[in-house]
Amino acid sequence: MEKEINEQQALQKLMALCAHGEHSSGEMLEKMRQWHLDEAVQTRLMERLVTERYVDDERFARAFVNDKITYNQWGRRRIEQALWQKGIDPGLRKQVLDEVDDETYLNVLRPLLKAKARTVKASSDYEHTMKLARFALGRGFSYDLVRRCLPDAEEMEID
């Protein structure tokens, strides 16, 4: 069992955490809940973190979206789900994701599918295309973008 943590210790820990990397308000609240801090204390600490710009959900969301597209090669739907899990407001999620154009996703998806196509085993072109489509959809790319990248995608039905 963890020893009790007071408000000042919690503030110091949260500030240190935020100084090392971007974190959402949802993550900070979850951390405080794990420490069993009173709701009034959580509110005070969040206000202070936001006022002193340790936590900024818009800044976090922009960095998160950029990182997930660039490094993880995720599509919009998967990123949107991850932002929801991080406690980002739906309006802010939509705003930040709408700023990313289709071409950005296509520039990630094309080489991803090209690399995957070399490793996929299939008995027909149709099966090959289906496996690639499922892979791309699993990464969070929209059906529309997948169709634009795969040659036989117009005829396929996704199960």
Side-chain angles (χ1 to χ4, degrees):
M1 175 109 179
E2 215 177 293
K3 69 175 186 144
E4 286 291 309
I5 182 171
N6 68 33
E7 187 172 343
Q8 193 57 38
Q9 290 169 322
L11 180 63
Q12 292 303 315
K13 282 186 173 194
L14 293 172
M15 286 177 162
L17 191 63
C18 291
H20 289 291
E22 288 294 336
H23 293 280
S24 69
S25 56
E27 290 173 314
M28 296 295 99
L29 288 169
E30 181 56 35
K31 191 63 95 176
M32 289 186 273
R33 276 192 286 278
Q34 289 172 0
W35 294 335
H36 306 290
L37 292 176
D38 189 61
E39 280 194 38
V41 172
Q42 289 181 31
T43 303
R44 280 197 303 274
L45 291 178
M46 272 312 300
E47 285 173 3
R48 179 123 182 241
L49 291 170
V50 169
T51 302
E52 295 182 21
R53 304 217 8 105
Y54 281 96
V55 173
D56 181 338
D57 279 348
E58 186 172 345
R59 185 179 67 208
F60 169 81
R62 287 182 200 291
F64 187 85
V65 168
N66 181 55
D67 287 354
K68 293 305 174 191
I69 291 171
T70 307
Y71 303 114
N72 296 57
Q73 299 174 320
W74 285 3
R76 180 185 173 115
R77 290 182 10 218
R78 190 158 179 192
I79 295 170
E80 191 168 15
Q81 183 179 21
L83 287 171
W84 173 79
Q85 289 176 319
K86 298 281 186 187
I88 301 298
D89 176 70
L92 182 57
R93 281 197 312 256
K94 183 176 177 358
Q95 174 195 331
V96 171
L97 286 166
D98 285 349
E99 291 171 5
V100 180
D101 63 342
D102 283 354
E103 204 55 45
T104 303
Y105 292 116
L106 289 169
N107 290 338
V108 169
L109 183 57
R110 283 187 187 109
L112 192 64
L113 286 174
K114 190 174 181 179
K116 183 68 174 174
R118 289 193 287 270
T119 65
V120 169
K121 307 245 185 301
S123 58
S124 68
D125 286 347
Y126 176 78
E127 184 183 355
H128 190 261
T129 301
M130 287 296 295
K131 286 183 175 186
L132 288 175
R134 269 196 221 102
F135 168 76
L137 292 169
R139 291 299 276 261
F141 292 96
S142 70
Y143 180 69
D144 177 54
L145 292 178
V146 173
R147 279 189 28 209
R148 288 166 61 183
C149 290
L150 292 174
D152 309 324
E154 279 77 39
E155 307 91 49
M156 70 182 178
E157 284 289 317
I158 301 295
D159 299 336

